Amino acid sequence: MPLAMLLRIDASSTAMTASEGVQALRAVATTPLRLGPDEGGRDKEGGGKVDTGTITKPKPKTKRPSLYRVLLLNDDYTPMEFVVLVLQDVFNKSRDEAMRIMLHVHNQGVGECGIYPFEVAETKVTRVMDTARKNQHPLQCVMEKQ
């Protein structure tokens, strides 16, 4: 049904102020709509049953963000002490944990520094690479999807 019919506004009626128009719209919006007999509101036997329903918004389904592993790669030129300092500064590791990770990288060729959402992992990789370049070390740091 057009809005003009619901409000019963025609050209001959007096002009409404903006606040009167808003009040009229609110009154229409809060009035529940019911189906008439010709619109399917009655059952097949002609009874006076009126169907009403509630419209609900479906809850959006959220999923956990993908996680990424941040890995340090071994090289023969970056000092071990520098790697320990980077692990402490960028990844907030304790001295003992940084030493353990550094030795793992040295012996195995690669070591995991942490697991983070994409943006955090990307930032950490960038910080490691920038720090290494600034200090003229070839240290490599990469991220991979877990």
Side-chain angles (χ1 to χ4, degrees):
M1 186 178 300
L3 186 58
M5 289 177 65
L6 288 174
L7 295 177
R8 300 189 190 282
I9 300 172
D10 58 15
S12 64
S13 67
T14 59
M16 276 193 213
T17 65
S19 63
E20 290 172 338
V22 169
Q23 288 175 352
L25 285 174
R26 283 187 183 144
V28 169
T30 58
T31 305
L33 296 177
R34 293 208 164 103
L35 298 176
D38 58 337
E39 297 171 323
R42 295 180 187 254
D43 59 6
K44 292 181 181 177
E45 288 84 34
K49 187 176 184 181
V50 177
D51 293 332
T52 60
T54 304
I55 299 174
T56 60
K57 290 183 182 178
K59 267 192 168 178
K61 292 184 179 181
T62 57
K63 65 177 189 174
R64 293 186 138 337
S66 299
L67 297 178
Y68 292 80
R69 296 171 60 202
V70 178
L71 307 170
L72 274 181
L73 306 178
N74 187 42
D75 65 74
D76 295 332
Y77 303 103
T78 304
M80 292 180 181
E81 187 59 32
F82 179 77
V83 174
V84 170
L85 292 173
V86 165
L87 288 166
Q88 287 178 300
D89 182 50
V90 176
F91 298 97
N92 300 319
K93 302 293 183 185
S94 67
R95 178 93 177 148
D96 291 338
E97 194 174 5
M99 286 291 287
R100 185 185 56 75
I101 294 171
M102 179 273 301
L103 287 173
H104 187 270
V105 171
H106 181 70
N107 293 326
Q108 303 298 319
V110 64
E112 183 179 285
C113 303
I115 301 172
Y116 307 97
F118 179 79
E119 290 83 8
V120 175
E122 187 177 45
T123 301
K124 293 202 181 276
V125 168
T126 302
R127 283 186 60 197
V128 169
M129 298 295 285
D130 289 347
T131 304
R133 296 300 162 262
K134 189 169 79 173
N135 290 284
Q136 299 177 350
H137 295 299
L139 181 64
Q140 294 292 307
C141 187
V142 295
M143 62 188 237
E144 67 178 26
K145 194 167 187 174
Q146 188 180 19

